[in-house]
Amino acid sequence: MRTTRLTALLGLAAVAALGLTACNSGSPTPGGAAGGSEGTDESSVWFETASDVSLEGSPTFDRITERGGVIVGVKEDQPGLGFLDVTTNERTGFDIDIARWIAASLGYGEEDITFQPIASANREQAIVNGDIDYYVGTYSITDKRKEQIDFAGPYFITGQGLLVASDSDIASEADLGPDTNVCSATGSTPIQNIKANFPGVPTTEFDVYSACVEALLNGQVDAVTTDQAILIGYAALYPDELKVVGEPFSEERYGVGLEKGDTVLLEHINEMFTDGGDIWQAIFDKNLGASGITVEQPAVDAAS
């Protein structure tokens, strides 16, 4: 079955592109820093867990302290960003390491982190309900979402693009029309953009982007749309079958989703991003450097 093939190739691609994942959580340093495990290559990023952390006035941190661990909402089907290898049970990706970095800054190592996959449509509710402490997973900062939650960051900026079959006549969003079915994740910013700006274009929605890629490979849809950083990872799995076309036609600013009103935690994470430029770059190089994407760390938005 093609679904099995996709899952297997995602796992192989993640291992090939990212190498061995970091084993500890905290402030990372590039290369062979102390504390590394045997067999890890020189590009690994290591995390040192902070100690004696106090965030007075943060209800999220209070829950984490009482629980004795961190629950992080993530994606797990995005190679290079947020990916779970079902064979090895290893999580890898830029967003995953950002989540680990935050946890370590709060005093919690890898063994204290519970990664909780949350579909795009359910992210705000999971934060509002307190099911997770924060969310790191290609989560675009929007005014509508900020009505329910807060965002730290942005920590990454990309743009919406299109993934199509290699023999497709679609060259950009200008070619979308009533005969081109576009697929994206339910509740995601990209599918909302298509509906708002291309009202005559039929859409298909799934909980996860990998299901859209599967539909594209099977000829059930004509294009998959989401952020180019995500699409490039999928195109790399099928270089003879899929391609990314056109230029980004939106700006997506990824933030860390937090409980609304938890200003203390928001400011803590923003300060961590501001002071941790070398750490951010090491995480980027480890996970996305090989993709050829050139991205600078954005300045955080104090009003996010």
Side-chain angles (χ1 to χ4, degrees):
M1 293 178 62
R2 193 181 283 270
T3 300
T4 303
R5 177 187 176 210
L6 177 60
T7 302
L9 284 175
L10 283 172
L12 290 173
V15 172
L18 305 180
L20 297 175
T21 188
C23 297
N24 298 325
S25 178
S27 300
T29 55
S37 61
E38 183 178 355
T40 303
D41 64 19
E42 292 181 357
S43 65
S44 295
V45 177
W46 298 105
F47 299 87
E48 296 178 357
T49 305
S51 59
D52 299 324
V53 180
S54 177
L55 291 183
E56 185 175 350
S58 168
T60 305
F61 185 73
D62 289 344
R63 288 198 304 272
I64 292 171
T65 302
E66 182 176 357
R67 186 191 308 122
V70 179
I71 303 176
V72 186
V74 294
K75 294 286 183 67
E76 56 183 23
D77 67 330
Q78 298 175 352
L81 292 164
F83 181 77
L84 173 65
D85 187 326
V86 296
T87 302
T88 65
N89 205 38
E90 287 184 310
R91 292 187 185 273
T92 54
F94 181 81
D95 285 336
I96 298 298
D97 279 342
I98 291 290
R100 288 174 171 138
W101 180 19
I102 294 170
S105 77
L106 298 174
Y108 294 90
E110 181 78 8
E111 69 281 0
D112 304 313
I113 304 173
T114 299
F115 292 102
Q116 181 66 49
I118 305 287
S120 294
N122 302 328
R123 291 178 292 196
E124 287 92 273
Q125 198 60 53
I127 295 170
V128 170
N129 291 347
D131 298 333
I132 57 177
D133 299 314
Y134 54 91
Y135 190 99
V136 188
T138 60
Y139 201 5
S140 296
I141 301 171
T142 69
D143 289 339
K144 182 177 180 180
R145 288 170 178 163
K146 287 164 65 175
E147 293 174 0
Q148 299 185 66
I149 65 169
D150 282 337
F151 285 97
Y155 65 88
F156 194 86
I157 296 178
T158 182
Q160 185 171 348
L162 292 172
L163 180 71
V164 301
S166 57
D167 59 355
S168 174
D169 293 330
I170 298 173
S172 74
E173 74 278 8
D175 296 320
L176 299 180
D179 297 325
T180 54
N181 192 300
V182 179
C183 188
S184 194
T186 302
S188 66
T189 303
I191 198 66
Q192 294 168 8
N193 288 344
I194 293 295
K195 290 179 177 180
N197 300 315
F198 302 87
V201 174
T203 58
T204 297
E205 300 177 40
F206 295 104
D207 284 344
V208 293
Y209 291 114
S210 56
C212 284
V213 175
E214 188 66 24
L216 178 61
L217 289 166
N218 290 333
Q220 297 170 320
V221 301
D222 301 295
V224 176
T225 187
T226 185
D227 305 334
Q228 276 201 346
I230 299 171
L231 298 178
I232 289 170
Y234 285 118
L237 303 181
Y238 297 97
D240 298 326
E241 299 172 75
L242 303 177
K243 62 182 179 180
V244 176
V245 296
E247 296 296 327
F249 51 97
S250 73
E251 181 182 82
E252 307 301 333
R253 302 164 68 247
Y254 293 164
V256 179
L258 305 170
E259 176 183 334
K260 191 168 184 62
D262 195 340
T263 306
V264 173
L265 181 57
L266 186 154
E267 292 178 349
H268 169 84
I269 295 174
N270 277 350
E271 183 178 358
M272 186 193 79
F273 288 149
T274 299
D275 295 341
D278 290 343
I279 296 172
W280 185 95
Q281 190 64 53
I283 293 174
F284 179 87
D285 290 345
K286 175 197 171 195
N287 292 288
L288 295 172
S291 69
I293 301 173
T294 302
V295 177
E296 294 184 0
Q297 181 187 6
V300 300
D301 182 357
S304 65

